């Protein structure tokens, strides 16, 4: 039986817009940041139509260069692709400024989705090696995160909501990232706009079934980050994932991606390797039982690969 490629599958957001099921992640390691340009070009040429980025990834300009060339070469038009960017906690009270910076870096007039990157508020600290002169992860002398204690994480989404309701032409949809159920419940009580997307770490080692159920019930599309367990892709070598791959005569990377897409979850694997970028588009027709088996890998003892040192105050983070 012929199956669609992951790049041909789209999901509908709660504002009616369509979002591709597979995207290219771009949170590259510092030394790989310049490779983002060729990675984006390879991905778009392979059929990807979603690029996941953020001000904090320091690669928006490289993406902008790739897009400019792709537009000039006639490979795609702006309206053919879906671009996501994010507002980092150093801009928690300046979402408007963050969006303008990202658009300028990307060289486009609008993005398709803006996410609040983390439900956290950092104090802004200047730094010569920072991004645009701003320290990305400000810390106190003892190494603890420099959190703005008076700040309210929900203010950032409220700013996005105000701009969205005022029909700001710079973006088409708004959402959140790294929001646990408790924070979403508060958001839904205090805001009118339901986030279109919640981007979180999700994979068989961290199945987050309660969050998946909550987001599905509230028409919030989940978007999975670190589908391979981040740098080095440890999950691609996992024996339980391998057993499912063998059953379908497929590859483990594709099992890990289809695990999400089969459940209506967008997934954004990162790669700067053109061979891997192309191989990640193959869909595997996993059954409900396969998904149950995969969920069981991390149910009893879930593992986060991106447990950021600054995220300890968020429920579900820093527990180990
Ligand atoms: N919202 C947030 O807070 C947040 C946090 C983390 C990540 N994200 C987003 O999610 C994206 C993905 O997550 P991630 O960057 O943590 O890592 P990931 O996608 O889980 O894994 C990246 C690693 O997988 C390797 N890889 C890719 N395809 C492969 C394949 N077919 N076979 C073997 N290895 C493969 C890559 O190496 P090669 O380059 O050599 O292929 C890279 O080392 C990020 O780039 C970012 O866009 C968001």
């Amino acid at each position: 039986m012929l199956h669609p490629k992951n790049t041909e599958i789209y999901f509908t957001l709660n504002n009616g817009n369509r979002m591709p099921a597979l995207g290219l992640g771009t949170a590259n390691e510092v030394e790989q940041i310049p490779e983002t340009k060729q990675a984006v070009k390879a991905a778009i040429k392979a059929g990807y139509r979603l690029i996941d980025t953020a001000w904090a990834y320091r690669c928006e300009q490289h993406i902008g260069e790739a897009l400019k060339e792709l537009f000039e070469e006639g490979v795609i038009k702006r309206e053919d692709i879906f671009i996501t960017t994010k507002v980092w906690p150093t801009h928690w009270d300046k979402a408007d400024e963050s969006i303008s910076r990202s658009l300028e870096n990307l060289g486009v007039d609008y993005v398709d989705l803006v996410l609040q990157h983390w439900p956290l508020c950092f104090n802004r600290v200047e730094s010569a090696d920072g991004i645009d002169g701003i320290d990305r992860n400000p810390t106190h002398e003892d190494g603890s995160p420099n959190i703005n204690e008076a700040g309210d994480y929900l203010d950032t989404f409220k700013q996005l909501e105000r701009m969205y309701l005022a029909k700001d032409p710079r973006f088409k949809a708004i959402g959140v990232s790294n929001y646990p159920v408790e924070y979403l419940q508060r958001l839904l009580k205090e805001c009118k706009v339901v986030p279109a997307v919640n981007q979180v770490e999700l994979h068989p080692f961290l199945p987050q079934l309660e969050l998946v159920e909550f987001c599905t019930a509230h028409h919030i599309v989940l978007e999975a980050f670190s589908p391979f367990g981040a740098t080095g892709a440890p999950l691609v070598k996992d024996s339980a994932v391998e057993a499912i791959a063998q059953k379908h005569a497929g590859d483990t990377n594709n099992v890990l991606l289809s695990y999400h897409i089969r459940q209506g979850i967008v997934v954004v694997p990162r790669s700067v390797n053109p061979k891997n970028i192309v191989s990640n588009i193959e869909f595997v027709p996993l059954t409900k039982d396969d998904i149950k088996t995969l969920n069981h890998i991390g149910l009893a003892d879930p593992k986060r690969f991106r447990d950021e040192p600054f995220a300890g105050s968020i429920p579900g983070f820093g527990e180990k």
Side-chain angles (χ1 to χ4, degrees), residues 130-304:
I131 312 177
D132 295 334
I134 301 163
D135 188 348
R136 181 186 185 273
N137 293 341
T139 53
H140 294 292
E141 271 176 20
D142 65 0
S144 61
N146 190 343
I147 302 280
N148 184 315
E149 301 297 347
D152 178 353
Y153 68 83
L154 199 51
D155 275 2
T156 310
F157 187 77
K158 287 179 178 170
Q159 289 163 50
L160 294 179
E161 179 183 51
R162 269 196 297 279
M163 292 186 269
Y164 179 75
L165 291 174
K167 304 207 177 332
D168 192 315
R170 296 174 303 165
F171 52 87
K172 308 247 182 232
I174 57 174
V176 294
S177 175
N178 297 299
Y179 263 56
V181 169
E182 295 91 318
Y183 285 20
L184 288 172
Q185 282 168 329
R186 181 182 163 215
L187 183 154
L188 295 180
K189 267 194 210 126
E190 293 188 32
C191 300
K192 290 190 213 69
V193 177
V194 178
V197 167
N198 185 18
Q199 184 183 104
V200 297
E201 181 172 342
L202 211 58
H203 42 67
F205 280 59
L206 188 68
Q208 306 213 58
L209 297 188
E210 196 201 343
L211 184 66
V212 173
E213 198 179 316
F214 185 91
C215 288
T216 308
H218 290 87
H219 307 291
I220 300 169
V221 167
L222 271 162
E223 184 175 12
F225 72 67
S226 303
F228 299 148
T231 298
L235 305 194
V236 168
K237 296 157 212 140
D238 181 75
S239 55
V241 179
E242 227 157 62
I244 305 255
Q246 270 177 17
K247 189 179 128 189
H248 290 279
D251 294 321
T252 50
N253 57 313
N254 300 126
V255 167
L256 290 163
L257 299 174
S258 297
Y259 163 75
H260 298 294
I261 294 176
R262 261 307 216 201
Q263 300 184 77
I265 296 171
V266 174
V267 61
V268 287
R270 158 173 65 97
S271 178
V272 290
N273 175 336
K275 203 167 137 266
N276 287 345
I277 289 171
V278 170
S279 91
N280 289 342
I281 69 177
E282 299 302 330
F283 178 81
V284 180
L286 298 177
T287 63
K288 283 193 176 145
D289 282 344
D290 293 331
I291 291 179
K292 262 193 205 155
T293 307
L294 289 164
N295 281 337
H296 267 282
I297 297 177
L299 265 191
D301 187 19
K303 179 167 170 54
R304 261 180 212 283

